[in-house]
Amino acid sequence: MSQIRVHWQKKSRGGHTGCLVLLLLFALSSTLLGCGQGRGGKQPVREQQQSQAQQAAQEQIVPVQPAFPHRTKGLILYNPEYAQNFYLALEDGRKVLYLHDPASDKTFRHEIGTVKRVVCLSTTHLAFIHAIGASASVCGVSGARYIYNPRLRQCTDVGYESSINYETLLKLAPDVVFAYSIHGKTADYITKMEQLGLNVIQIPEHTERHPLGKAEFLVAFAAFYGLEDQARQQFCEIRDAYLEYKSLVTGQKKEKVLINAPFNDIWYLPGSESHQNIFIGDAGGVLLGTCPGVNSSTISTEQAYLYALEADVWLNPNHYTQLAELENLDNRFARVPCFRNGNVWNNNLRSTPEGGSDYYESGAISPHLILADLIAILHPSLLPSHTFTYYRQLSRSQAAPQHP
């Protein structure tokens, strides 16, 4: 089972699936529905080492059901299996991408043609583009120092949100600027780009609850490159690998999980319907302290300490890389069982010297690899020879992270 890895993915340290841009759709020969016959249907993530506060901001979204109350009168070319916020249609001979923003409950229609030059304001978008072999189309990025993929770190950096260099952006003359939005945060820079005549498309993959829903946006991006069939097959392989890993934990005892660490004296916990909770549940764990819904909640450090006393595993303690750092944060944590047993893990194995994390880059299209890491942490006997992709175990003498 440790060999369940999809064959198309590059697993080298320097060029793991990394970078992104929009891809979707597939040919008429395989129209309708997604991978299964009859199955229908964002810190800004972008500056890589996401803080809990930024993650929480992304999760303050109450999805509207149904996401698309008014469907196209044309032919649906791709009806996602897991993703709730896009679908692909054919209208009057043109490919059309429909995107839904659950924060504003708005639907956006984009007629798409083949693109040759794109700018990506999100590292996850870079990962989608890289996965379909279209990295050469990326002419500009945001926050290059936070990009793990070495090929895409070399692209022109156009700046970040309110600090975007519009002159540089215009000189690049992109066919599309792939952007993103965060609920409750103004996006004047997006308005400015549109006023300059740039074709800006906001991709809402970060609003998807299910990890496979995020990964399925691979098909949406691929439509811009005419690679829908390839992306559809890639997603099917990702989905099948994810579900096969998930099946391993059937009947296993649920391991108790403490997640995160305080950020500005506030400890955030993801909601029960968030993608983080889905990951942990599918890996055979139960998240301590989570509240119903998709939104994050906050707890005190005192309450977190009580959860830590009963936790089997501690995951994602912010940016920390050593147990000593957690002990310095609050020496009480050095007395909890999972700390004493060294069962503290962080998702920053693959990172840039500046703090960018590949977990928030290629992880968007590799939920099966994230799930495999989590299973190997929570139930190591199920994957005894597992090689970790994103997670590493904290120790008092921590090895250096893997850099691109």
Side-chain angles (χ1 to χ4, degrees), residues 322-329 339 395-396:
Q322 299 184 36
L323 289 174
E325 294 174 302
L326 291 177
E327 185 174 2
N328 291 336
L329 179 68
F339 187 103
S395 69
R396 297 191 183 278

Side-chain angles (χ1 to χ4, degrees), residues 293-352:
V294 67
N295 292 354
S296 290
S297 59
T298 61
I299 59 173
S300 66
T301 300
E302 288 70 26
Q303 181 60 62
Y305 173 68
L306 296 178
Y307 289 138
L309 288 173
E310 58 177 307
D312 300 302
V313 177
W314 186 350
L315 295 176
N316 304 355
N318 283 355
H319 60 282
Y320 297 117
T321 59
Q322 299 184 36
L323 289 174
E325 294 174 302
L326 291 177
E327 185 174 2
N328 291 336
L329 179 68
D330 190 321
N331 58 22
R332 290 179 299 173
F333 287 107
R335 301 195 294 268
V336 305
C338 61
F339 187 103
R340 294 200 312 269
N341 297 334
N343 218 358
V344 183
W345 297 74
N346 213 346
N347 55 12
N348 56 4
L349 173 62
R350 300 164 63 88
S351 62
T352 71

Side-chain angles (χ1 to χ4, degrees), residues 1-3 5 376 380-388:
M1 292 299 303
S2 60
Q3 301 301 315
R5 296 173 181 262
S381 64
L382 297 179
L383 294 172
S385 58
H386 179 71
T387 299
F388 286 91

